[in-house]
Amino acid sequence: MTDVLRIIDSEVVLTLPSGRVISGQLEHATTNKSLFLIDVDPEAVSAPVLLTVPKAEAEDATTALEPDQVLLRNWTELRGAPEALAEAGLVELTGEEVQVGLFGLQALVARVL
């Protein structure tokens, strides 16, 4: 099945609690339930920032999501990203939390708006 890409916003700028600023075009890959930022500057050399947990890392939790939901990473360099996306009006946090991996890292369920 081919993944459908949907552009959510072409110019997103998020400031995380750490002070890190991430920006770019926010895209939603609906089939893979992925949300990522792509720097659209033709001179940029940065890789896309994956904001969601890859399906392979939380397959049961990802499969259980509604079609418009994603599982947002909320650890290390992306701590606070789910809240920043919600404050920007790009996602709605459902209040559900999933523990991912051996160390039980926190991921938050969100509905992509």
Side-chain angles (χ1 to χ4, degrees):
M1 178 187 291
T2 302
D3 208 358
V4 176
L5 288 177
R6 182 169 75 103
I7 296 172
I8 306 302
D9 193 313
S10 60
E11 296 182 27
V12 173
V13 178
L14 301 174
T15 302
L16 305 182
S18 66
R20 179 180 180 203
V21 176
I22 55 176
S23 62
Q25 179 170 285
L26 184 65
E27 295 188 10
H28 180 210
T30 57
T31 304
N32 286 328
K33 300 192 180 286
S34 299
L35 196 63
F36 48 93
L37 282 171
I38 297 177
D39 194 337
V40 294
D41 179 352
E43 296 181 20
V45 292
S46 59
V49 177
L50 180 65
L51 301 168
T52 50
V53 177
K55 265 187 168 179
E57 291 181 20
E59 194 162 346
D60 289 343
T62 305
T63 302
L65 296 173
E66 296 294 325
D68 62 345
Q69 290 181 328
V70 293
L71 193 54
L72 294 171
R73 295 170 46 197
N74 193 35
W75 63 82
T76 58
E77 75 277 359
L78 291 176
R79 180 165 303 284
E83 292 85 357
L85 287 163
E87 287 173 15
L90 302 166
V91 301
E92 176 186 13
L93 298 176
T94 67
E96 297 174 69
E97 180 181 316
V98 174
Q99 302 300 311
V100 178
L102 180 62
F103 298 107
L105 301 171
Q106 182 188 54
L108 303 178
V109 177
R111 184 171 314 284
V112 180
L113 301 176

